[in-house]
mmCIF file of all heavy atoms in Angstrom:
data_model
loop_
_atom_site.group_PDB
_atom_site.id
_atom_site.type_symbol
_atom_site.label_atom_id
_atom_site.label_comp_id
_atom_site.label_asym_id
_atom_site.label_seq_id
_atom_site.Cartn_x
_atom_site.Cartn_y
_atom_site.Cartn_z
ATOM 1 N N LYS I 461 108.903 5.354 46.249
ATOM 2 C CA LYS I 461 107.992 5.952 47.223
ATOM 3 C C LYS I 461 106.597 6.088 46.630
ATOM 4 O O LYS I 461 106.449 6.189 45.409
ATOM 5 C CB LYS I 461 108.510 7.324 47.644
ATOM 6 C CG LYS I 461 109.899 7.291 48.283
ATOM 7 C CD LYS I 461 110.406 8.693 48.558
ATOM 8 C CE LYS I 461 111.822 8.659 49.133
ATOM 9 N NZ LYS I 461 112.349 10.027 49.355
ATOM 10 N N SER I 462 105.619 6.095 47.504
ATOM 11 C CA SER I 462 104.256 6.344 47.032
ATOM 12 C C SER I 462 104.199 7.709 46.362
ATOM 13 O O SER I 462 104.826 8.676 46.814
ATOM 14 C CB SER I 462 103.260 6.296 48.203
ATOM 15 O OG SER I 462 103.171 4.987 48.719
ATOM 16 N N LEU I 463 103.442 7.776 45.262
ATOM 17 C CA LEU I 463 103.303 8.978 44.421
ATOM 18 C C LEU I 463 104.557 9.250 43.593
ATOM 19 O O LEU I 463 104.783 10.365 43.144
ATOM 20 C CB LEU I 463 102.899 10.206 45.233
ATOM 21 C CG LEU I 463 101.595 10.072 46.027
ATOM 22 C CD1 LEU I 463 101.305 11.343 46.806
ATOM 23 C CD2 LEU I 463 100.434 9.749 45.097
ATOM 24 N N ASP I 464 105.357 8.205 43.379
ATOM 25 C CA ASP I 464 106.400 8.257 42.365
ATOM 26 C C ASP I 464 105.779 7.861 41.023
ATOM 27 O O ASP I 464 104.848 7.037 40.974
ATOM 28 C CB ASP I 464 107.540 7.284 42.682
ATOM 29 C CG ASP I 464 108.622 7.910 43.563
ATOM 30 O OD1 ASP I 464 108.630 9.149 43.696
ATOM 31 O OD2 ASP I 464 109.447 7.153 44.103
ATOM 32 N N LEU I 465 106.289 8.434 39.953
ATOM 33 C CA LEU I 465 105.840 8.096 38.606
ATOM 34 C C LEU I 465 106.911 7.252 37.949
ATOM 35 O O LEU I 465 108.072 7.666 37.867
ATOM 36 C CB LEU I 465 105.603 9.376 37.799
ATOM 37 C CG LEU I 465 104.974 9.230 36.414
ATOM 38 C CD1 LEU I 465 103.498 8.851 36.550
ATOM 39 C CD2 LEU I 465 105.107 10.519 35.624
ATOM 40 N N ILE I 466 106.548 6.034 37.516
ATOM 41 C CA ILE I 466 107.505 5.189 36.802
ATOM 42 C C ILE I 466 107.582 5.681 35.355
ATOM 43 O O ILE I 466 106.580 5.680 34.636
ATOM 44 C CB ILE I 466 107.086 3.709 36.840
ATOM 45 C CG1 ILE I 466 107.079 3.204 38.290
ATOM 46 C CG2 ILE I 466 108.029 2.859 35.993
ATOM 47 C CD1 ILE I 466 106.629 1.770 38.440
ATOM 48 N N VAL I 467 108.749 6.121 34.936
ATOM 49 C CA VAL I 467 108.906 6.669 33.590
ATOM 50 C C VAL I 467 109.681 5.736 32.671
ATOM 51 O O VAL I 467 109.679 5.918 31.448
ATOM 52 C CB VAL I 467 109.590 8.053 33.633
ATOM 53 C CG1 VAL I 467 108.728 9.053 34.365
ATOM 54 C CG2 VAL I 467 110.969 7.978 34.283
ATOM 55 N N GLY I 468 110.335 4.724 33.254
ATOM 56 C CA GLY I 468 111.072 3.794 32.419
ATOM 57 C C GLY I 468 111.338 2.488 33.137
ATOM 58 O O GLY I 468 111.441 2.437 34.364
ATOM 59 N N ILE I 469 111.413 1.412 32.346
ATOM 60 C CA ILE I 469 111.780 0.087 32.870
ATOM 61 C C ILE I 469 112.924 -0.414 31.999
ATOM 62 O O ILE I 469 112.733 -0.650 30.796
ATOM 63 C CB ILE I 469 110.593 -0.895 32.830
ATOM 64 C CG1 ILE I 469 109.444 -0.375 33.699
ATOM 65 C CG2 ILE I 469 111.032 -2.282 33.282
ATOM 66 C CD1 ILE I 469 108.193 -1.220 33.622
ATOM 67 N N GLY I 470 114.101 -0.540 32.577
ATOM 68 C CA GLY I 470 115.279 -0.841 31.768
ATOM 69 C C GLY I 470 115.509 0.312 30.805
ATOM 70 O O GLY I 470 115.567 1.479 31.196
ATOM 71 N N ASP I 471 115.607 -0.018 29.521
ATOM 72 C CA ASP I 471 115.789 1.011 28.493
ATOM 73 C C ASP I 471 114.467 1.406 27.840
ATOM 74 O O ASP I 471 114.451 2.194 26.897
ATOM 75 C CB ASP I 471 116.756 0.510 27.412
ATOM 76 C CG ASP I 471 118.149 0.273 27.966
ATOM 77 O OD1 ASP I 471 118.549 1.025 28.879
ATOM 78 O OD2 ASP I 471 118.827 -0.664 27.494
ATOM 79 N N GLN I 472 113.364 0.868 28.345
ATOM 80 C CA GLN I 472 112.051 1.084 27.721
ATOM 81 C C GLN I 472 111.271 2.188 28.440
ATOM 82 O O GLN I 472 111.098 2.157 29.660
ATOM 83 C CB GLN I 472 111.234 -0.223 27.772
ATOM 84 C CG GLN I 472 109.864 -0.145 27.138
ATOM 85 C CD GLN I 472 109.925 -0.088 25.622
ATOM 86 O OE1 GLN I 472 110.609 -0.865 24.989
ATOM 87 N NE2 GLN I 472 109.189 0.849 25.044
ATOM 88 N N LYS I 473 110.813 3.167 27.676
ATOM 89 C CA LYS I 473 109.937 4.199 28.240
ATOM 90 C C LYS I 473 108.567 3.588 28.500
ATOM 91 O O LYS I 473 108.062 2.798 27.700
ATOM 92 C CB LYS I 473 109.804 5.364 27.247
ATOM 93 C CG LYS I 473 108.875 6.469 27.717
ATOM 94 C CD LYS I 473 108.676 7.509 26.615
ATOM 95 C CE LYS I 473 107.650 8.550 27.039
ATOM 96 N NZ LYS I 473 107.335 9.498 25.947
ATOM 97 N N VAL I 474 107.951 3.942 29.626
ATOM 98 C CA VAL I 474 106.630 3.404 29.953
ATOM 99 C C VAL I 474 105.705 4.550 30.352
ATOM 100 O O VAL I 474 106.090 5.419 31.139
ATOM 101 C CB VAL I 474 106.714 2.340 31.071
ATOM 102 C CG1 VAL I 474 107.359 2.889 32.321
ATOM 103 C CG2 VAL I 474 105.333 1.780 31.405
ATOM 104 N N ASP I 475 104.501 4.558 29.776
ATOM 105 C CA ASP I 475 103.557 5.656 30.004
ATOM 106 C C ASP I 475 102.271 5.225 30.699
ATOM 107 O O ASP I 475 101.626 6.042 31.356
ATOM 108 C CB ASP I 475 103.165 6.313 28.669
ATOM 109 C CG ASP I 475 104.346 6.988 27.994
ATOM 110 O OD1 ASP I 475 105.030 7.774 28.667
ATOM 111 O OD2 ASP I 475 104.578 6.731 26.796
ATOM 112 N N TYR I 476 101.871 3.954 30.526
ATOM 113 C CA TYR I 476 100.542 3.539 30.972
ATOM 114 C C TYR I 476 100.616 2.351 31.921
ATOM 115 O O TYR I 476 101.436 1.447 31.753
ATOM 116 C CB TYR I 476 99.665 3.174 29.760
ATOM 117 C CG TYR I 476 99.659 4.237 28.689
ATOM 118 C CD1 TYR I 476 100.042 3.933 27.387
ATOM 119 C CD2 TYR I 476 99.282 5.545 28.982
ATOM 120 C CE1 TYR I 476 100.054 4.907 26.401
ATOM 121 C CE2 TYR I 476 99.287 6.525 28.002
ATOM 122 C CZ TYR I 476 99.675 6.198 26.718
ATOM 123 O OH TYR I 476 99.686 7.170 25.748
ATOM 124 N N TRP I 477 99.718 2.367 32.890
ATOM 125 C CA TRP I 477 99.668 1.308 33.889
ATOM 126 C C TRP I 477 99.425 -0.054 33.249
ATOM 127 O O TRP I 477 99.995 -1.065 33.671
ATOM 128 C CB TRP I 477 98.569 1.621 34.905
ATOM 129 C CG TRP I 477 98.493 0.624 36.007
ATOM 130 C CD1 TRP I 477 97.671 -0.451 36.108
ATOM 131 C CD2 TRP I 477 99.325 0.589 37.169
ATOM 132 N NE1 TRP I 477 97.914 -1.156 37.253
ATOM 133 C CE2 TRP I 477 98.933 -0.533 37.924
ATOM 134 C CE3 TRP I 477 100.355 1.402 37.636
ATOM 135 C CZ2 TRP I 477 99.540 -0.866 39.121
ATOM 136 C CZ3 TRP I 477 100.967 1.069 38.831
ATOM 137 C CH2 TRP I 477 100.559 -0.055 39.562
ATOM 138 N N ARG I 478 98.593 -0.090 32.204
ATOM 139 C CA ARG I 478 98.239 -1.386 31.596
ATOM 140 C C ARG I 478 99.460 -2.093 30.986
ATOM 141 O O ARG I 478 99.431 -3.304 30.778
ATOM 142 C CB ARG I 478 97.168 -1.194 30.518
ATOM 143 C CG ARG I 478 97.609 -0.363 29.334
ATOM 144 C CD ARG I 478 96.566 -0.329 28.224
ATOM 145 N NE ARG I 478 97.009 0.465 27.089
ATOM 146 C CZ ARG I 478 96.743 1.756 26.936
ATOM 147 N NH1 ARG I 478 96.012 2.387 27.853
ATOM 148 N NH2 ARG I 478 97.171 2.413 25.887
ATOM 149 N N ASN I 479 100.525 -1.328 30.692
ATOM 150 C CA ASN I 479 101.725 -1.929 30.092
ATOM 151 C C ASN I 479 102.784 -2.306 31.119
ATOM 152 O O ASN I 479 103.817 -2.875 30.756
ATOM 153 C CB ASN I 479 102.356 -0.948 29.090
ATOM 154 C CG ASN I 479 101.448 -0.669 27.906
ATOM 155 O OD1 ASN I 479 100.631 -1.507 27.529
ATOM 156 N ND2 ASN I 479 101.583 0.507 27.323
ATOM 157 N N LEU I 480 102.524 -1.979 32.379
ATOM 158 C CA LEU I 480 103.564 -2.112 33.390
ATOM 159 C C LEU I 480 104.079 -3.547 33.510
ATOM 160 O O LEU I 480 105.287 -3.790 33.458
ATOM 161 C CB LEU I 480 103.040 -1.627 34.742
ATOM 162 C CG LEU I 480 104.086 -1.316 35.809
ATOM 163 C CD1 LEU I 480 105.033 -0.217 35.335
ATOM 164 C CD2 LEU I 480 103.407 -0.878 37.108
ATOM 165 N N ASN I 481 103.167 -4.506 33.649
ATOM 166 C CA ASN I 481 103.596 -5.890 33.849
ATOM 167 C C ASN I 481 104.304 -6.467 32.633
ATOM 168 O O ASN I 481 105.323 -7.150 32.764
ATOM 169 C CB ASN I 481 102.398 -6.766 34.225
ATOM 170 C CG ASN I 481 102.322 -6.981 35.729
ATOM 171 O OD1 ASN I 481 103.255 -7.486 36.346
ATOM 172 N ND2 ASN I 481 101.223 -6.549 36.323
ATOM 173 N N SER I 482 103.777 -6.179 31.442
ATOM 174 C CA SER I 482 104.408 -6.726 30.240
ATOM 175 C C SER I 482 105.808 -6.137 30.057
ATOM 176 O O SER I 482 106.736 -6.837 29.647
ATOM 177 C CB SER I 482 103.539 -6.453 29.008
ATOM 178 O OG SER I 482 103.373 -5.062 28.803
ATOM 179 N N PHE I 483 105.975 -4.854 30.385
ATOM 180 C CA PHE I 483 107.295 -4.237 30.277
ATOM 181 C C PHE I 483 108.248 -4.786 31.336
ATOM 182 O O PHE I 483 109.447 -4.938 31.075
ATOM 183 C CB PHE I 483 107.184 -2.713 30.406
ATOM 184 C CG PHE I 483 106.669 -2.035 29.165
ATOM 185 C CD1 PHE I 483 106.088 -2.761 28.136
ATOM 186 C CD2 PHE I 483 106.761 -0.662 29.025
ATOM 187 C CE1 PHE I 483 105.607 -2.145 26.997
ATOM 188 C CE2 PHE I 483 106.292 -0.025 27.886
ATOM 189 C CZ PHE I 483 105.710 -0.778 26.863
ATOM 190 N N LEU I 484 107.728 -5.055 32.529
ATOM 191 C CA LEU I 484 108.565 -5.645 33.576
ATOM 192 C C LEU I 484 109.068 -7.014 33.145
ATOM 193 O O LEU I 484 110.258 -7.338 33.295
ATOM 194 C CB LEU I 484 107.775 -5.756 34.883
ATOM 195 C CG LEU I 484 107.578 -4.473 35.689
ATOM 196 C CD1 LEU I 484 106.564 -4.696 36.810
ATOM 197 C CD2 LEU I 484 108.897 -3.965 36.262
ATOM 198 N N HIS I 485 108.176 -7.842 32.593
ATOM 199 C CA HIS I 485 108.570 -9.174 32.143
ATOM 200 C C HIS I 485 109.549 -9.095 30.972
ATOM 201 O O HIS I 485 110.483 -9.896 30.877
ATOM 202 C CB HIS I 485 107.340 -9.987 31.749
ATOM 203 C CG HIS I 485 106.617 -10.590 32.910
ATOM 204 N ND1 HIS I 485 107.062 -11.716 33.567
ATOM 205 C CD2 HIS I 485 105.482 -10.198 33.556
ATOM 206 C CE1 HIS I 485 106.225 -12.013 34.561
ATOM 207 N NE2 HIS I 485 105.261 -11.101 34.571
ATOM 208 N N ALA I 486 109.327 -8.116 30.091
ATOM 209 C CA ALA I 486 110.206 -7.981 28.926
ATOM 210 C C ALA I 486 111.614 -7.544 29.329
ATOM 211 O O ALA I 486 112.582 -7.818 28.618
ATOM 212 C CB ALA I 486 109.610 -6.981 27.938
ATOM 213 N N ALA I 487 111.719 -6.862 30.479
ATOM 214 C CA ALA I 487 113.011 -6.318 30.915
ATOM 215 C C ALA I 487 113.876 -7.361 31.615
ATOM 216 O O ALA I 487 115.067 -7.125 31.843
ATOM 217 C CB ALA I 487 112.794 -5.130 31.844
ATOM 218 N N VAL I 488 113.284 -8.483 31.965
ATOM 219 C CA VAL I 488 114.046 -9.510 32.691
ATOM 220 C C VAL I 488 113.836 -10.866 32.034
ATOM 221 O O VAL I 488 112.923 -11.075 31.249
ATOM 222 C CB VAL I 488 113.609 -9.579 34.174
ATOM 223 C CG1 VAL I 488 113.870 -8.263 34.870
ATOM 224 C CG2 VAL I 488 112.141 -9.962 34.289
ATOM 225 N N SER I 489 114.694 -11.789 32.371
ATOM 226 C CA SER I 489 114.519 -13.178 31.950
ATOM 227 C C SER I 489 114.439 -14.030 33.210
ATOM 228 O O SER I 489 114.672 -13.548 34.318
ATOM 229 C CB SER I 489 115.696 -13.638 31.075
ATOM 230 O OG SER I 489 116.859 -13.753 31.863
ATOM 231 N N LEU I 490 114.097 -15.269 33.050
ATOM 232 C CA LEU I 490 113.943 -16.158 34.208
ATOM 233 C C LEU I 490 115.253 -16.353 34.976
ATOM 234 O O LEU I 490 115.254 -16.784 36.124
ATOM 235 C CB LEU I 490 113.396 -17.510 33.755
ATOM 236 C CG LEU I 490 111.948 -17.499 33.246
ATOM 237 C CD1 LEU I 490 111.566 -18.875 32.732
ATOM 238 C CD2 LEU I 490 111.001 -17.078 34.361
ATOM 239 N N LYS I 491 116.394 -16.033 34.343
ATOM 240 C CA LYS I 491 117.690 -16.224 35.006
ATOM 241 C C LYS I 491 118.116 -14.996 35.803
ATOM 242 O O LYS I 491 119.027 -15.066 36.622
ATOM 243 C CB LYS I 491 118.765 -16.566 33.974
ATOM 244 C CG LYS I 491 118.524 -17.904 33.266
ATOM 245 C CD LYS I 491 119.621 -18.171 32.252
ATOM 246 C CE LYS I 491 119.377 -19.500 31.539
ATOM 247 N NZ LYS I 491 120.438 -19.782 30.526
#
């Protein structure tokens, strides 16, 4: 929902917007 705070991607804690895409890519593979 809007105004949700993303606190983790997979097993990785995430704090900053600038890291969001790199953490998303790191959490998945092309398969």
Side-chain angles (χ1 to χ4, degrees):
K461 300 175 183 178
S462 293
L463 303 179
D464 271 346
L465 187 72
I466 297 178
V467 296
I469 299 175
D471 296 326
Q472 181 73 48
K473 178 186 175 186
V474 57
D475 295 309
Y476 310 123
W477 183 264
R478 64 174 180 267
N479 296 332
L480 197 60
N481 262 302
S482 61
F483 283 13
L484 283 169
H485 280 283
V488 299
S489 70
L490 292 176
K491 295 180 180 180

